[in-house]
Amino acid sequence: MELVLSIGIGIMTGSGVWLILRPRTYQVIIGLSLLSYAVNLFIFGVGGVKSNAAPLLGEGVDVSTLTDPVPQALVLTAIVIGFATTALFLVVLLAARGLTGTDHVDGREQPK
Amino acid sequence: MILVLLVCLPFAGSLAATVLLKTDSRVLAARMSGGVTFVALVLTAMLYPAVRDGGKVRLDLEWLPQLGLNVTLRMDGFAWLFAMLVTGIGCLVVLYARYYMSEEDPVPRFFSFLLAFMGSMLGIVLSGNIILLSVFWELTSIFSFLLISYWHHNAAARDGARMALTITGIGGFCLLAGLLVLGHIVGSYDLDVVLASGDQIKAHPLYLTALMLILIGALTKSAQVPFHFWLPNAMAAPTPVSAYLHSATMVKAGVFLLVRFWPALSGTYEWFMLVGIAGISTLILGAYFAMFQQDLKGLLAYSTISHLGLITTLLSLGSPVAAVAAIFHMMNHATFKASLFMAAGIIDHETGTRDMRRLSGLLKYLPITGTLAMVASAAMAGVPLLNGFISKEMFFAEAVETHADSVLDRILPYVATLAGAFSVAYSLRFIHMVFFGPEPTDLPKPKPHEPPHWMRFPIEFLVLACLVVGIIPSLSIGPFLHSAVVSVLGDRTPEYSLAVWHGINTPLIMSLIALVGGAALYFVMKDYLAKCDDGPPLFRHLGGQRIFERVLVTVSWKWARWLESHLGTRHLQPQLRLVAAAGLLAGVVPLYLAGFSPRPPTFGAVDPIFAAVWCIGAFCALGAAYQAKYHRLAALVLLGGAGITTCITFVWLSAPDLAITQLVVEVVTTVLLLLGLRWLPKRSEKVDNAVSLAARSRRFRDLLLAISCGLGMFVFSYAIMTQPVPDAIASYFLDKAYSEGGGRNVVNVILVDFRGFDTMGEIAVLAIVALTVFALLRRFRPAPDSIEKPEQQRIQNAYDDARPERSEGDTVRDYLLVPSVIMQWMFPVIATFAVFLFLRGHDLPGGGFAAGITMAIAFLLQYLAGGVRWAEDRLRILPLRWMGFGLITAAATGIGAWLLGYPFLTTYSQYIEVPLIGKVPAATALLFDLGVFSLVVGATVLILIALAHQSIRTHRVRSLEAQKAEET
């Protein structure tokens, strides 16, 4: 489990880092989204990886067997905020493209 | 308690004066300020019995006791005397300013700054904690900047203010550093402790560091050589400001500080040399420069510098009697210099000029002001029977004494006499040139006359004080001075005498030489001075100001430009590359240093299905990275795949809440990016794809960096996940969620209850982002090549146009007929699902965030199904109202706890029996969650609709342009 998840995190991080180093704004926005998946999964994973132990209290559930709810609470808001920042970034990039006429991250094409 | 009132009152008055800014009454602000300063004066006066004979008033308020930072206010005899000076002269200046300021000036602003300045000055005087002192010290720099630049339409005022701020700001920074070192030496920031550990400080190896830093602070503030040049330039300020800041308060703060720390820092050879050289050179240079000024206020400014140098020199000597003389001279100088500044202001006000080459024979027009100015200048020159004489005699007596045997000490009597002669000369010049001589010929205002009586009253009062102190010193200032001296010197208080007549002795002879010599000097140089240029010979072209500006340009422009052009970049990619590399190093280096070795992976527990899911996920992530440049839609789809994999992982690994949220956020993110795709440039076929070698190597470097980051994250997260999870705070939340939060879904309880305040902040961020997006899109101008309709629409429309029975848009409606009917039908279903998610959130997976986005999706689908116009004809969503309602509900729930006497956002929960439904949880957290829900709906819908509206807007722009084209 842990192995698969951490390979997945590694691949998402690598893809994300590669993309945010690219010159086109759209690549950067996709890269940031991938990075945020990776980071969310990482934070979530810090709390321990268990199946069938959702932090829901019920009758006769042993509390000590449940997963850690704190990283989950952190990640939950991070997901929503991540959406908001993606939206903000998208709009900034659209506005920048409107003003500068290019979708290069510097606002102008790099001289060859 | 009175101390707090004393410090806060001027600031409160300052705020109140800003309220009056909109009114055009200048009297009201003046009266209010007068009232405030007078009350402060009375309060200070009332405290005298407590500080008499070495008494102290102290007040401690805890601020950051862990760091030794407390709001400590203390008043002893010295602080009392200074506070009287600040408030007393403050009163007089307010009265004077009431008549001085003209109708056109924004008077309330002036009084607001003046009061705030007075408050900061009182803060310095009363601080009992040296860090607090430094805070007030900075405030005086800031408010003096605002006061000097009060006439900000005037370039000289702006430059002078900026220079004053730069110099005193640098000084303030050094002072703070010095005080921190001092606090480090002593182990406490409490002033009383610092003052009591003088020997410890002087023996410490860091003594010299602390001393130099503190001295830079004090000497810049008191305009001592070589930092003196800001003061003459600050004369562009309104005269009441000069009278207040540059005679009694701001510049006195520096010498105040020297006196304050005199018991702790003085008496060493370093002190004598550093302070002494600065003081003596200031004393003599200031007096010399003052003689050659043509501007009345310039003369007074340099004379102030010189007198401050005198005080500094006295303090450098390290003898208790000299310290007494320094304190005494501080008071005397403030009285006569404030009155002289005000007199100069009256002359300027009445004649329209301060240039001594144009002023002449004014005694006829201004007999009373002239007489008062004469007395005050006589005090400045040190004429017997005036207060300046007594402290100057004390100075001469101390100059003759030997303190530390050095050249500096041996030349002091001669320097003192010479400076005395200079000061006689410039005082005489001030009076003789302005009030005597022929009738003035080219005054800007031809008929000067006496000002209103109340404008003159402050001068009268101060001159009277000069006389009273000068004639009967021990009966007037004596006891107050004594309590001040005792509070500074403690048991080292010397025997001193304030008598006017000590018999014929060396100081008296020095005074006589100075008086006669100064008078002779003036009459010899009179004709030259009457015509010469501004500034002393030789030094005229060596302006401190010019050097200062040269340095500023070099440091803040040339060096900065050099650094920027050599080290900076305006390109984003190198910056991000640096960030990524720094992140990688920050992760790897500590691990390497700590001797981390990765654990060999174990393959036993791998679930094949989970592994298969992640194979798809990895494929999607890599594919998105590969395709994002040219195939945006494909990249978006692949990104969605990666998102779904994340979502499945959450489900698999016991995080149902996250899974739900991730799923719905995935939907809106995809729609969002789809909406954005339309405005991005199309792939240009013309671009030649020949990749240069440089680009190739750049890409390779990036690839390497990306792979290293990915590898690092893999190793790191594997190491962390295989660690046993320490028993951190998780068990606390698991234990208390039901008993205290009243909910079974621990994640939701954490969000809306335990960490409710965080969530509140997060929804506020969401609201801000949504509003920002909205605002940015209101002025959105698409790139020219995106304004046209997209290709697909054009093809469809062309098809529709070609057939008479079809109208535009039919094709797309046909395509979407089945999906749109389904989507319309789904609306109530999804809305109900959202309510369901919301209600079960406290006990089962769900909650406000997920429900909010689900509800937003319900709205969104209607837009997708029928188009923007169709949806808005039938559905009026007011996202801003949703957001407002959400924020208010969340905040009100939190505040509700206050009303019941609990801290912000304390929740209450119980179960209510509802017929038919059964037990329903009714925690107040549910209300808070309702706020979250509503805000999330509003924010999401606002963002998406704002983006969707762009295509209609540009459509409108397009048709308008077409219309215009037809008309022309």
Side-chain angles (χ1 to χ4, degrees):
Chain A
M1 263 344 170
E2 291 87 353
L3 186 67
V4 174
L5 183 55
S6 33
I7 293 175
I9 292 174
I11 290 176
M12 280 187 174
T13 312
S15 314
V17 170
W18 163 258
L19 279 178
I20 62 167
L21 298 177
R22 296 298 90 219
R24 302 291 150 194
T25 46
Y26 187 75
Q27 291 174 303
V28 177
I29 207 170
I30 298 283
L32 281 178
S33 302
L34 282 174
L35 267 184
S36 69
Y37 290 145
V39 171
N40 284 346
L41 282 171
F42 174 73
I43 295 176
F44 164 72
V46 168
V49 176
K50 284 183 206 167
S51 292
N52 296 322
L56 300 172
L57 306 174
E59 303 298 325
V61 173
D62 182 8
V63 166
S64 60
T65 59
L66 301 179
T67 49
D68 190 344
V70 180
Q72 295 197 12
L74 293 178
V75 171
L76 200 147
T77 45
I79 294 173
V80 180
I81 297 279
F83 162 69
T85 45
T86 308
L88 184 61
F89 183 48
L90 180 78
V91 171
V92 170
L93 91 83
L94 291 182
R97 151 123 169 95
L99 288 173
T100 62
T102 165
D103 68 336
H104 194 281
V105 285
D106 293 334
R108 56 174 174 218
E109 291 297 329
Q110 213 151 22
K112 287 276 173 187
Chain B
M1 202 56 234
I2 295 182
L3 291 180
V4 177
L5 196 62
L6 198 55
V7 175
C8 293
L9 194 65
F11 288 110
S14 167
L15 279 181
T18 56
V19 176
L20 298 176
L21 208 54
K22 291 286 167 206
T23 63
D24 39 340
S25 155
R26 64 171 181 159
V27 186
L28 198 59
R31 283 196 184 143
M32 200 265 315
S33 316
V36 167
T37 38
F38 190 71
V39 171
L41 179 66
V42 171
L43 285 176
T44 315
M46 272 162 50
L47 285 168
Y48 182 65
V51 299
R52 193 163 49 196
D53 302 324
K56 245 185 302 193
V57 186
R58 212 185 132 95
L59 176 98
D60 284 283
L61 297 175
E62 289 212 335
W63 176 19
L64 282 173
Q66 304 89 328
L67 296 178
L69 294 184
N70 289 317
V71 178
T72 307
L73 297 176
R74 76 192 267 288
M75 182 187 260
D76 55 11
F78 180 55
W80 181 85
L81 196 62
F82 227 92
M84 281 303 278
L85 191 72
V86 170
T87 51
I89 298 206
C91 258
L92 298 174
V93 166
V94 169
L95 178 62
Y96 178 78
R98 148 82 179 79
Y99 293 96
Y100 180 86
M101 303 310 283
S102 85
E103 295 284 352
E104 293 90 58
D105 295 322
V107 177
R109 187 154 63 97
F110 175 79
F111 284 110
S112 172
F113 292 158
L114 194 75
L115 284 179
F117 180 83
M118 188 173 105
S120 340
M121 200 60 211
L122 282 174
I124 293 186
V125 172
L126 298 179
S127 290
N129 183 298
I130 55 178
I131 301 297
L132 187 67
L133 186 148
S134 150
V135 171
F136 282 117
W137 185 276
E138 287 300 321
L139 282 179
T140 57
S141 293
I142 292 165
F143 286 114
S144 77
F145 168 78
L146 292 172
L147 280 168
I148 296 170
S149 63
Y150 174 70
W151 285 322
H152 50 67
H153 47 79
N154 179 346
R158 292 197 301 267
D159 290 344
R162 202 181 56 221
M163 187 183 294
L165 182 68
T166 314
I167 300 288
T168 55
I170 292 171
F173 180 69
C174 291
L175 177 72
L176 176 63
L179 292 176
L180 288 174
V181 176
L182 197 63
H184 171 73
I185 296 174
V186 179
S188 164
Y189 295 117
D190 194 279
L191 187 60
D192 283 318
V193 181
V194 171
L195 293 185
S197 33
D199 294 331
Q200 186 195 344
I201 295 168
K202 283 173 225 165
H204 200 276
L206 283 173
Y207 166 70
L208 192 61
T209 317
L211 178 68
M212 284 178 65
L213 288 169
I214 292 174
L215 282 184
I216 293 176
L219 298 182
T220 47
K221 203 76 155 185
S222 278
Q224 300 289 293
V225 172
F227 309 114
H228 62 284
F229 51 88
W230 69 263
L231 186 60
N233 286 299
M235 288 301 131
T239 302
V241 173
S242 309
Y244 194 44
L245 268 64
H246 307 136
S247 73
T249 50
M250 166 99 164
V251 293
K252 286 282 160 61
V255 282
F256 171 84
L257 193 80
L258 291 182
V259 175
R260 190 83 279 183
F261 287 108
W262 194 85
L265 295 176
S266 77
T268 59
Y269 183 70
E270 293 93 337
W271 168 277
F272 174 69
M273 288 310 282
L274 289 172
V275 183
I277 289 174
I280 290 172
S281 48
T282 312
L283 167 68
I284 189 80
L285 285 178
Y288 176 67
F289 287 7
M291 282 199 301
F292 297 95
Q293 297 302 311
Q294 298 296 5
D295 179 10
L296 274 183
K297 281 174 76 179
L299 185 149
L300 293 176
Y302 275 107
S303 135
T304 301
I305 293 174
S306 164
H307 279 271
L308 290 166
L310 189 156
I311 298 170
T312 312
T313 312
L314 277 170
L315 290 169
S316 76
L317 299 177
S319 92
V321 183
V324 175
I327 297 173
F328 190 30
H329 195 68
M330 276 156 95
M331 301 300 134
N332 294 336
H333 174 252
T335 42
F336 65 68
K337 194 51 67 65
S339 62
L340 281 173
F341 267 119
M342 292 184 197
I346 289 178
I347 293 166
D348 185 15
H349 205 254
E350 297 302 328
T351 64
T353 179
R354 303 191 311 241
D355 191 332
M356 275 189 272
R357 283 167 293 198
R358 298 170 77 181
L359 295 168
S360 163
L362 285 182
L363 193 62
K364 191 174 140 204
Y365 301 102
L366 302 168
I368 305 175
T369 310
T371 316
L372 292 170
M374 270 183 244
V375 179
S377 335
M380 175 160 79
V383 172
L385 293 183
L386 291 163
N387 59 356
F389 172 71
I390 303 173
S391 44
K392 197 163 257 186
E393 285 286 279
M394 291 168 94
F395 170 56
F396 285 163
E398 279 301 306
V400 176
E401 297 268 324
T402 307
H403 297 283
D405 194 28
S406 66
V407 182
L408 209 58
D409 197 45
R410 257 169 274 146
I411 61 165
L412 189 55
Y414 308 103
V415 174
T417 316
L418 188 61
F422 286 159
S423 85
V424 172
Y426 66 67
S427 306
L428 201 55
R429 171 158 184 247
F430 180 87
I431 295 307
H432 188 260
M433 286 208 169
V434 174
F435 293 108
F436 295 94
E439 288 272 308
T441 44
D442 61 339
L443 292 181
K445 293 184 188 167
K447 285 270 172 246
H449 54 82
E450 281 288 338
H453 176 246
W454 285 109
M455 185 170 178
R456 219 173 47 218
F457 172 79
I459 311 182
E460 290 167 357
F461 182 87
L462 290 169
V463 167
L464 188 67
C466 289
L467 280 166
V468 169
V469 172
I471 296 168
I472 41 167
S474 29
L475 294 179
S476 51
I477 190 87
F480 306 116
L481 184 64
H482 184 72
S483 39
V485 168
V486 170
S487 74
V488 175
L489 298 176
D491 46 7
R492 288 173 68 197
T493 307
E495 288 292 319
Y496 61 90
S497 146
L498 289 180
V500 180
W501 178 252
H502 285 112
I504 297 174
N505 51 10
T506 327
L508 188 68
I509 293 167
M510 286 163 75
S511 276
L512 284 177
I513 295 173
L515 276 174
V516 176
L521 188 66
Y522 170 63
F523 283 106
V524 169
M525 297 181 65
K526 192 171 68 165
D527 293 332
Y528 171 72
L529 289 175
K531 286 190 287 291
C532 75
D533 285 341
D534 205 23
L538 300 181
F539 290 95
R540 207 170 280 155
H541 302 292
L542 184 80
Q545 180 182 3
R546 224 172 299 165
I547 298 171
F548 170 80
E549 266 160 16
R550 186 72 56 80
V551 169
L552 264 197
V553 165
T554 312
V555 172
S556 71
W557 180 246
K558 286 193 185 147
W559 290 4
R561 285 289 298 232
W562 187 87
L563 279 180
E564 201 244 341
S565 63
H566 283 79
L567 298 179
T569 172
R570 292 187 180 188
H571 300 297
L572 185 70
Q573 284 172 280
Q575 295 174 18
L576 279 178
R577 211 170 281 139
L578 276 179
V579 170
L584 182 65
L585 283 181
V588 170
V589 170
L591 284 181
Y592 177 75
L593 292 181
F596 167 83
S597 61
R599 202 165 305 166
T602 49
F603 296 91
V606 174
D607 189 312
I609 303 178
F610 190 65
V613 167
W614 264 104
C615 278
I616 299 173
F619 169 77
C620 286
L622 291 172
Y626 185 64
Q627 293 293 343
K629 187 166 188 187
Y630 292 126
H631 302 279
R632 299 198 185 102
L633 187 62
L636 183 57
V637 172
L638 290 168
L639 179 73
I644 296 296
T645 311
T646 311
C647 182
I648 293 173
T649 310
F650 287 142
V651 177
W652 204 288
L653 300 174
S654 342
D657 278 286
L658 294 190
I660 294 175
T661 315
Q662 181 73 58
L663 189 68
V664 288
V665 165
E666 209 51 54
V667 174
V668 284
T669 309
T670 309
V671 173
L672 178 83
L673 291 178
L674 275 175
L675 285 171
L677 280 183
R678 183 219 176 295
W679 304 106
L680 287 172
K682 285 202 276 188
R683 181 176 181 177
S684 165
E685 305 291 343
K686 282 178 300 194
V687 177
D688 76 286
N689 282 314
V691 183
S692 66
L693 193 67
R696 206 180 281 277
S697 73
R698 230 179 6 242
R699 279 187 201 167
F700 183 69
R701 192 175 50 191
D702 289 351
L703 186 66
L704 215 61
L705 185 59
I707 291 175
S708 329
C709 285
L711 214 61
M713 272 307 273
F714 156 60
V715 174
F716 192 45
S717 39
Y718 184 70
I720 281 198
M721 280 182 229
T722 47
Q723 289 280 355
V725 181
D727 186 34
I729 42 178
S731 54
Y732 170 84
F733 288 119
L734 288 169
D735 283 341
K736 308 279 178 174
Y738 191 66
S739 55
E740 292 185 6
R744 293 178 191 282
N745 179 1
V746 186
V747 175
N748 186 268
V749 174
I750 291 176
L751 283 177
V752 297
D753 191 335
F754 292 124
R755 310 294 307 155
F757 203 51
D758 288 1
T759 309
M760 176 111 190
E762 268 144 359
I763 58 174
V765 170
L766 201 59
I768 292 166
V769 170
L771 289 176
T772 314
V773 166
F774 183 61
L776 277 172
L777 285 176
R778 277 175 62 125
R779 293 265 172 279
F780 177 64
R781 292 275 172 282
D785 57 314
S786 299
I787 289 183
E788 268 192 64
K789 284 191 175 178
E791 202 181 344
Q792 292 85 338
Q793 263 186 49
R794 284 204 301 270
I795 296 170
Q796 288 164 4
N797 288 346
Y799 178 81
D800 290 339
D801 284 342
R803 283 163 185 71
E805 76 277 8
R806 300 179 72 91
S807 61
E808 203 176 285
D810 276 352
T811 311
V812 68
R813 264 193 290 279
D814 290 350
Y815 280 152
L816 278 176
L817 183 61
V818 176
S820 72
V821 170
I822 297 176
M823 283 193 251
Q824 283 163 27
W825 286 354
M826 286 300 276
F827 181 68
V829 179
I830 299 177
T832 315
F833 181 59
V835 174
F836 169 70
L837 275 182
F838 172 70
L839 283 178
R840 78 204 285 258
H842 215 48
D843 283 334
L844 290 164
F849 280 109
I853 299 179
T854 311
M855 193 67 209
I857 292 175
F859 288 134
L860 201 62
L861 279 182
Q862 301 318 302
Y863 276 78
L864 288 180
V868 175
R869 296 223 174 108
W870 181 90
E872 284 181 359
D873 285 344
R874 288 159 182 78
L875 196 62
R876 273 192 70 201
I877 314 166
L878 302 165
L880 292 172
R881 300 255 170 101
W882 283 82
M883 285 164 60
F885 172 77
L887 264 188
I888 290 174
T889 312
T893 315
I895 291 168
W898 273 346
L899 299 182
L900 301 172
Y902 293 103
F904 189 63
L905 278 173
T906 311
T907 53
Y908 174 75
S909 62
Q910 79 173 73
Y911 282 79
I912 307 174
E913 200 74 40
V914 177
L916 293 178
I917 298 176
K919 263 168 102 179
V920 171
T924 54
L926 198 70
L927 264 181
F928 182 76
D929 216 14
L930 180 67
V932 173
F933 167 77
S934 168
L935 187 127
V936 171
V937 174
T940 316
V941 171
L942 182 67
I943 291 173
L944 290 168
I945 290 184
L947 203 51
H949 267 248
Q950 295 313 315
S951 48
I952 309 186
R953 265 192 55 209
T954 41
H955 182 67
R956 214 177 299 140
V957 172
R958 208 158 46 219
S959 53
L960 273 178
E961 271 167 10
Q963 235 170 22
K964 240 183 245 168
E966 259 171 47
E967 279 164 17
T968 52

